[in-house]
């Protein structure tokens, strides 16, 4: 068989518990014919989703390397990697920093597999990554039985018929009249928690502080929000930051709607380090140089080991991708904080980091973003407080 000079790698990984029993899958495709050239999958024991996704990428690239060794491909090899992991795609493309200690060696390993190859990375929706996803699940199923995944037993290719792959990533269609019918989006209704004792004083209150509870005013705001959502009748799921003020706010809505609250740790507020509990003026007085740096760059962290806005954006984007995948076509109430909500809106708009300082979000306000199957997002609402009047 004459091998092509261009390859498409589709890779995925999953964890049933995150961390939990995990596995990966990867497939190498001839983009001109859609032919499957290689498949690989493996159960890797207990690991996180991100570790499994990176291991799937490494395995897919190694599968290309094995094909190259077996055939007269020569120089000029082009490899287009397609994954539904925004984290892996953005990090391997160099747009996001890699800070997690488990990710750094895996990213370095992936970068070293095909030296000299022309590598590009493309994010695709999960429904367009079914082949690799199926392989990963086959591997996890085999691991659960105490067995190894066997290529001869795989039905992933049979269940995912394939056409040739477009030469370049498809640009999502935009505009009122040109967009295809992509079905119901995943809609995240973003509710900021109600007031705490620190809110009216405008003090920094993040995930590294005292974890305050709702004040009497905040409890009233939570009940008013609950009444509004009960009257609206559109919320189907509820997700909350792990911090107390959000869980209390989410609990008020959940009690009214008869729903359970799922905690998502990626939606916690920024860790403001030594600034926790201080006003802006107090931070200016005590840590003026650090504050100036923080206001000037998303990579600057608050004094004393807090989180930068870039770090927060990375974990919020990972949480968002998980929610959008899990709740495709559903309306989810997401109870969280100022920075995560502003970050979700900023990313949906494609706005620069400084846009965070140009949005107002009142306590118990509602914003909304819809996420479509082609990767597009639509901001539908920002800082609505009509339910509090």
């Amino acid at each position: 068989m004459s091998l092509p000079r261009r390859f498409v790698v589709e890779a995925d990984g999953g964890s049933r518990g995150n961390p939990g029993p995990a596995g990966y899958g990867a497939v190498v495709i001839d983009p001109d014919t859609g032919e499957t050239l290689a498949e690989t999958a493996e159960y890797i024991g207990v690991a996180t989703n991100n570790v499994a996704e990176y291991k799937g990428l490494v395995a897919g690239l190694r599968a290309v390397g094995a094909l190259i060794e077996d055939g007269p491909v020569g120089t000029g090899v082009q490899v287009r990697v397609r994954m539904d992991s925004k984290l892996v795609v953005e990090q391997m493309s160099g747009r996001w920093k890699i800070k997690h200690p488990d990710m750094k060696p895996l990213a370095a390993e992936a970068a070293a597999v095909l030296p000299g190859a022309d590598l590009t990375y493309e994010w695709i929706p999960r429904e367009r990554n079914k082949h690799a996803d199926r392989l990963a699940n086959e591997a996890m199923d085999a691991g659960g039985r105490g067995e190894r995944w066997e290529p001869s037993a795989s039905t992933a290719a049979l269940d995912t018929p394939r056409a040739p792959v477009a030469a370049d990533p498809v640009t999502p269609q935009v505009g009122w009249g040109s967009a295809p019918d992509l079905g119901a989006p995943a809609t995240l209704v973003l509710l900021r928690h109600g007031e705490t004792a620190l809110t009216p004083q405008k003090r920094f209150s993040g995930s590294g502080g005292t974890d305050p509870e709702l004040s009497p005013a905040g409890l009233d705001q939570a009940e008013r929000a609950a009444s509004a959502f009960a009257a609206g009748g559109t919320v189907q799921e509820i997700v909350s930051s792990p911090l107390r003020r959000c869980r209390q706010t989410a609990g008020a809505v959940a009690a009214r709607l008869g729903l359970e609250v799922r905690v998502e740790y990626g939606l916690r507020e920024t860790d403001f380090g030594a600034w926790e509990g201080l006003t802006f003026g107090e931070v200016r007085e005590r840590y003026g140089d650090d504050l100036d740096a923080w206001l000037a760059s998303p990579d600057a962290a608050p004094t004393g080991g807090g989180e930068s806005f870039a770090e927060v954006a990375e974990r919020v984007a990972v949480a968002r991708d998980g929610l959008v995948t899990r709740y495709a076509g559903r309306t989810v109430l997401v109870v969280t904080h100022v920075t995560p909500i502003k970050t979700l809106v900023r990313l949906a708009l494609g706005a620069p980091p400084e846009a965070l300082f140009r949005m107002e979000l009142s306590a118990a306000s509602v914003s909304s973003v819809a996420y479509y199957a082609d990767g597009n997002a639509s901001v539908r609402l920002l800082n609505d407080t009509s339910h509090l009047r």
Side-chain angles (χ1 to χ4, degrees), residues 96-346:
W96 287 2
K97 292 182 179 180
I98 305 172
K99 296 187 177 182
H100 197 287
D102 292 341
M103 303 299 110
K104 287 183 178 179
L106 291 169
E109 184 179 2
V113 173
L114 295 174
D118 180 8
L119 276 168
T120 58
Y121 289 85
E122 174 191 353
W123 178 84
I124 56 174
R126 185 178 182 182
E127 59 269 18
R128 290 170 54 193
N129 202 27
K130 290 182 178 179
H131 194 154
D133 175 75
R134 179 62 182 270
L135 289 169
N137 277 285
E138 287 183 350
M140 286 184 279
D141 290 342
R145 299 191 299 269
E147 303 171 357
R148 291 177 60 87
W149 176 83
E150 294 294 339
S152 60
S154 175
T155 61
L158 299 176
D159 293 340
T160 52
R162 179 181 301 282
V165 181
D168 296 304
V170 176
T171 301
Q173 293 178 314
V174 296
W176 294 104
S178 61
D181 182 3
L182 299 171
T187 301
L188 303 189
V189 179
L190 309 171
L191 174 63
R192 186 189 169 193
H193 61 80
E195 286 187 8
T196 72
L198 301 179
T199 307
Q201 301 174 29
K202 298 187 181 300
R203 294 184 179 274
F204 283 95
S205 181
S207 58
T210 58
D211 195 12
E213 64 184 7
L214 294 180
S215 66
L219 291 170
D220 179 67
Q221 290 168 336
E223 289 298 332
R224 288 173 181 266
S227 295
F229 287 119
T234 59
V235 170
Q236 299 167 291
E237 311 280 351
I238 302 177
V239 176
S240 173
S241 154
L243 298 185
R244 185 186 309 174
R245 53 198 182 270
C246 286
R247 288 187 286 109
Q248 285 181 294
T249 305
V253 182
R256 193 70 64 91
L257 300 184
L259 297 174
E260 294 184 358
V261 177
R262 178 179 175 273
V263 172
E264 172 54 63
Y265 286 87
L267 295 173
R268 65 190 183 276
E269 181 59 289
T270 307
D271 182 344
F272 291 112
W275 303 352
E276 293 279 359
L278 301 180
T279 66
F280 191 89
E282 289 169 340
V283 173
R284 168 68 72 192
E285 181 180 347
R286 301 180 195 184
Y287 309 104
D289 291 343
D290 290 349
L291 180 63
D292 288 340
W294 181 71
L295 292 172
S297 171
D299 295 315
T303 310
E307 287 181 291
S308 70
F309 281 142
E311 291 172 315
V312 174
E314 185 171 323
R315 66 169 165 82
V316 167
V318 171
R320 173 204 61 195
D321 291 347
L323 294 176
V324 169
T325 298
R326 186 178 299 114
Y327 299 120
R330 297 179 71 77
T331 297
V332 186
L333 178 65
V334 177
V335 186
T336 180
H337 309 264
V338 168
T339 308
I341 294 174
K342 287 185 177 182
T343 297
L344 289 167
V345 171
R346 177 183 77 77

Side-chain angles (χ1 to χ4, degrees), residues 84-103:
D84 59 52
S85 170
K86 183 77 73 173
L87 176 77
V88 175
V89 168
E90 294 297 318
Q91 288 183 342
M92 293 303 298
S93 299
R95 292 185 289 269
W96 287 2
K97 292 182 179 180
I98 305 172
K99 296 187 177 182
H100 197 287
D102 292 341
M103 303 299 110

Side-chain angles (χ1 to χ4, degrees), residues 349-381:
L349 294 173
E354 56 265 29
L356 293 178
F357 299 111
R358 298 172 185 172
M359 286 183 259
E360 174 70 22
L361 281 180
S362 303
S365 63
V366 176
S367 304
S368 178
V369 183
Y371 298 89
Y372 291 88
D374 63 350
N376 273 326
S378 175
V379 176
R380 294 181 169 181
L381 192 66

